[in-house]
């Protein structure tokens, strides 16, 4: 199983990783480490993949799988019922595993520099425009200068073509967002990583890492909905190590 570990100076109590498409039991367009149970894959294979992930990482608990809806609600795990409808999850207690699933949308992992809070965020263009990053930073209830954020694999700026109406939503909220769009005929190429960094900077978060892997351009490593249509989902996970 290939896993991506964030290269960031997080406290040792913070554990995090992102899966790729390799190392599971799913077949066909879901091959092989599909963790999404809502995409048409064999439920038995998905359950086996999730258990394989838990065992491989030695997780303290099964991840809390959200029902993601491209919104900006944040589930505070332990307070919210699970599974719940949200696009970000936050944990304050050790042993609770936050998770978001993606296949082109941008996953963000967050922690504070004391290792007291962690969060996972699912940010496609709709969530970014709606303010999911703003909501997650607010839910962390920490000085933004003390937060660390890692940007996981997402569709890159050379592959994510959108209509003028998408660009207009971002520019209406913040004119500086225009710098994250390049013309492509009568459409635009959008930079999700750039839009996320810009929003984080506006919020006072300066310690931002990652943002290097394009899901669309690496079919051997990543699922991509924009590239394949029917496809699986990767997971980005973060948790606090239980105290011994």
């Amino acid at each position: 199983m290939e896993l991506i570990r964030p290269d960031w100076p997080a406290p040792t109590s913070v554990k995090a990783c992102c899966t790729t498409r390799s190392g599971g039991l799913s077949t066909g367009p879901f091959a092989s480490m599909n963790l999404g149970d809502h995409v048409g894959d064999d439920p038995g294979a998905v359950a086996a993949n999730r258990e394989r992930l838990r065992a491989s990482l030695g997780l303290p608990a099964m991840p809390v799988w959200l029902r993601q809806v491209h919104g900006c609600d944040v589930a505070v795990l332990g307070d919210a019922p699970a599974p719940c409808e949200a696009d970000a999850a936050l944990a304050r207690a050790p042993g609770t595993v936050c998770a978001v699933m993606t296949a082109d949308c941008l996953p963000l992992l967050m922690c504070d520099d004391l290792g007291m809070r962690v969060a996972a965020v699912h940010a496609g263009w709709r969530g970014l425009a709606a303010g999911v990053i703003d909501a997650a930073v607010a839910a962390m209830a920490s000085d933004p200068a003390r937060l660390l954020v890692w940007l996981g694999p997402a569709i890159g700026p050379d592959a994510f073509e959108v209509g003028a109406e998408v660009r207009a939503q971002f520019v209406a909220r913040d004119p500086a967002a225009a710098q994250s769009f390049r013309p492509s005929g009568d459409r635009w190429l959008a930079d999700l990583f750039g839009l996320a960094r810009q929003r984080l900077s506006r919020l006072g978060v300066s310690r931002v890492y990652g943002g290097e892997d394009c899901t669309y351009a690496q079919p051997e490593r990543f699922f991509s909905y924009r590239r394949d249509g029917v496809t699986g989902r990767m997971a980005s996970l973060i948790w606090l190590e239980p105290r011994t």
Side-chain angles (χ1 to χ4, degrees), residues 66-216:
L66 304 174
R67 292 195 299 269
Q68 299 169 191
V69 294
H70 297 276
C72 56
D73 286 345
V74 180
V76 179
L77 304 184
D79 296 345
C84 59
E85 191 172 279
D87 283 271
L90 181 146
R92 303 187 187 102
T96 300
V97 183
C98 302
V100 291
M101 288 184 287
T102 57
D104 279 341
C105 291
L106 174 63
L108 297 87
L109 299 179
M110 297 184 180
C111 68
D112 66 335
D113 60 9
L114 295 177
M116 301 296 290
R117 297 177 179 87
V118 294
V121 183
H122 163 246
W125 76 261
R126 290 179 181 84
L128 275 171
V132 68
I133 291 178
D134 310 55
V137 169
M140 290 290 283
S142 298
D143 179 351
R146 306 200 69 161
L147 297 180
L148 291 81
V149 176
W150 180 75
L151 309 179
I155 190 168
D158 294 327
F160 189 34
E161 193 173 75
V162 299
E165 73 284 356
V166 173
R167 179 180 181 273
Q169 288 191 43
F170 284 97
V171 175
R173 179 171 182 171
D174 183 354
Q179 65 190 0
S180 292
F181 293 86
R182 290 185 287 124
S184 177
D186 61 351
R187 292 171 67 79
W188 296 86
L189 289 169
D191 182 357
L192 287 177
F193 300 121
L195 288 165
R197 288 190 179 99
Q198 181 185 50
R199 177 49 42 188
L200 288 163
S201 178
R202 288 277 189 182
L203 295 168
V205 180
S206 60
R207 290 189 281 178
V208 183
Y209 307 86
E212 295 147 4
D213 282 311
C214 174
T215 49
Y216 186 95

Side-chain angles (χ1 to χ4, degrees), residues 18-72:
C18 177
T19 66
T20 62
R21 68 179 301 164
S22 67
L25 300 174
S26 295
T27 59
F30 310 109
S32 62
M33 193 61 182
N34 169 46
L35 296 165
D37 63 359
H38 61 292
V39 296
D41 193 7
D42 171 30
V46 176
N49 289 342
R50 290 181 173 187
E51 177 57 31
R52 181 172 287 198
L53 176 67
R54 185 204 63 77
S56 177
L57 289 171
L59 294 177
M62 189 64 82
V64 178
W65 304 106
L66 304 174
R67 292 195 299 269
Q68 299 169 191
V69 294
H70 297 276
C72 56

